[in-house]
Amino acid sequence: METMKAVSIYSYGGPEVLSYREVPYPHPADGEVLVRVHAAGINPVDWKIREGHLKGLLAHTFPLILGWDVSGVVEAVGRAGVIRLKVGDEVFSRPDILRDGAYAEFIVMKESEVALKPKRIDHNHAAAIPLAGLAAWQSLFTAGGLTSGQKILIHAAAGGVGSLAVQLAKLTGAYVIGTASAKNHDFVRNLGADRVIDHTTQRFEAEVLELDMVLDTIGGETQARSWKTLKRGGILVSLAEKPSQEQAALLGVRQAFVFIEPNAEQLAELAQLVDAGKLKAIVETILPLSDAARGQELSERGHTRGKIVLRVP
C-alpha cells in the first residue's frame, strides 16, 4: 500500500481548507506502532490549529493531518522497541499533537502513547475518551490534587471534557457543581453532579463560594469570574488559557494551566473504569471521515453534549 485516504490541511483557514484526498501511507519506526483507524474524535484543538490560533505555540508543517483522538487496531509494529503491543490489538490514544493525526485510515504513534482500548465499548465511543479523558485526569488529579470531600466547580459540564470530569470527580468523592444550559441539567445530574447552575440565567460566582477547585474549560470572562468562587488555598485549573499568577497571589489561591500530554498509563486507568461500568463516554454525533469539515463546524459552534466522532472506513 502506498497511499491512504486522509483529511489534511495545506494552509490555515476555515473549514474549506480541509482536504479529503489520497496521501502517502505511513510506516512505523522503532518504538512505534501503525494503527488502522476505526474512529477519530473531534476536539476544539483541531479547528484552533486549522485556523492558525496555535501557530505560535505548536510548530506544525504543511500538509498536516488533523485529529488527536483515535481508536483502532494495530496493523504493524516497528522492527524494534515495541514491547507491550502486538498486531491485532484494539487500542486507543491521544497521540503527539506535533505529528500527523487521526483523520486518516492509518496513523503512526509511539507505543508509549497507546493503550489497549476498553473492551465493553465500540471504537466510536473509545475515540471519544483519550484527549478529553486525559484533560480531565491531568486537570483534576495531576494539577489539582482533587480528593474526597472537596468541592469543585466544573465549567461546561456537558461538554467533552466536562462530562468526563464530572464522572471522575464524583468517583473520587468530591462534591461536584457543574455549569450547563437548562436543556443539559438533567444530563449533567445523571453524570453525577450534585448541583447544576444555568450559566445563561445565573451568575455562578453569586451562587457558589468557598470552593476547593474550579476546572475552567472556557477562559476569558468565565475564568475571570471564577476567582471569587475559591476559598483561600483553593486552585483554579484551566485548559483554556493561563491563569494570572499575580491574581492568584493577590487572592491567596493557586493556579495551574494544563497542556494535555500523552500518557498510556492514565489511558489504561480510564479504560479500566469504563470496563468496570464506572465511566461512560458520551457521543452526540458520528460522521464519516469525509464529513470532517461539518464535524469541525459543529464543534466550533459549541453546545455539544459529549463528543463528535468521525467514523473511518
Side-chain angles (χ1 to χ4, degrees):
M1 184 180 294
E2 295 182 355
T3 63
M4 65 175 180
K5 289 286 191 183
V7 176
S8 307
I9 60 171
Y10 292 76
S11 65
Y12 295 123
E16 71 281 354
V17 303
L18 293 168
S19 176
Y20 180 59
R21 64 172 71 180
E22 295 282 340
V23 301
Y25 178 85
H27 297 277
D30 291 351
E32 296 180 340
V33 295
L34 173 72
V35 172
R36 180 184 290 272
V37 179
H38 285 246
I42 291 178
N43 295 283
V45 70
D46 301 356
W47 51 262
K48 289 179 181 178
I49 288 174
R50 186 203 74 220
E51 292 180 349
H53 296 308
L54 303 181
K55 60 185 176 182
L57 180 64
L58 302 173
H60 288 119
T61 58
F62 298 121
L64 174 67
I65 300 172
L66 299 175
W68 293 277
D69 253 340
V70 59
S71 183
V73 177
V74 176
E75 182 87 358
V77 301
R79 290 185 178 182
V82 175
I83 57 176
R84 289 186 301 108
L85 301 174
K86 64 184 185 302
V87 173
D89 281 344
E90 293 191 325
V91 296
F92 73 151
S93 176
R94 186 283 199 183
D96 185 350
I97 202 167
L98 294 178
R99 299 176 60 174
D100 278 332
Y103 289 10
E105 292 179 307
F106 295 90
I107 182 174
V108 166
M109 299 175 284
K110 299 174 186 175
E111 186 191 34
S112 60
E113 300 167 351
V114 182
L116 296 175
K117 93 176 220 338
K119 295 180 176 66
R120 70 182 290 162
I121 58 176
D122 61 18
H123 287 289
N124 292 327
H125 286 78
I129 294 175
L131 191 148
L134 289 177
W137 188 282
Q138 292 170 16
S139 297
L140 297 177
F141 308 127
T142 308
L146 185 69
T147 59
S148 178
Q150 291 189 321
K151 294 177 66 176
I152 180 172
L153 173 64
I154 298 173
H155 288 301
V161 175
S163 61
L164 293 176
V166 167
Q167 295 176 74
L168 290 171
K170 196 60 188 172
L171 283 171
T172 303
Y175 183 88
V176 181
I177 306 159
T179 63
S181 60
K183 68 176 183 179
N184 285 322
H185 280 204
D186 287 344
F187 170 71
V188 174
R189 287 193 188 96
N190 288 337
L191 293 175
D194 297 284
R195 182 179 177 188
V196 187
I197 296 172
D198 186 347
H199 65 87
T200 67
T201 62
Q202 296 172 284
R203 302 286 291 185
F204 64 82
E205 69 273 28
E207 298 289 330
V208 290
L209 297 170
E210 296 294 303
L211 298 175
D212 296 285
M213 187 186 305
V214 174
L215 176 53
D216 166 38
T217 62
I218 301 171
E221 181 191 358
T222 296
Q223 182 182 109
R225 291 163 50 202
S226 294
W227 291 110
K228 62 184 68 175
T229 68
L230 290 166
K231 69 180 186 182
R232 290 190 68 84
I235 185 167
L236 191 158
V237 180
S238 181
L239 288 155
E241 61 183 80
K242 291 183 179 180
S244 166
Q245 294 182 1
E246 293 77 12
Q247 182 74 358
L250 183 66
L251 296 172
V253 300
R254 296 168 294 139
Q255 57 79 32
F257 174 71
V258 174
F259 189 83
I260 309 153
E261 297 290 341
N263 190 304
E265 291 76 18
Q266 292 172 355
L267 284 177
E269 294 196 56
L270 290 167
Q272 288 178 1
L273 290 173
V274 173
D275 283 335
K278 296 179 179 179
L279 183 71
K280 56 185 176 182
I282 310 299
V283 176
E284 182 176 71
T285 305
I286 300 173
L287 299 169
L289 179 61
S290 56
D291 271 357
R294 181 181 167 209
Q296 287 197 4
E297 287 174 338
L298 291 172
S299 173
E300 197 163 358
R301 289 177 200 163
H303 312 298
T304 298
R305 181 181 287 187
K307 295 291 289 290
I308 301 164
V309 170
L310 297 175
R311 181 182 66 252
V312 181

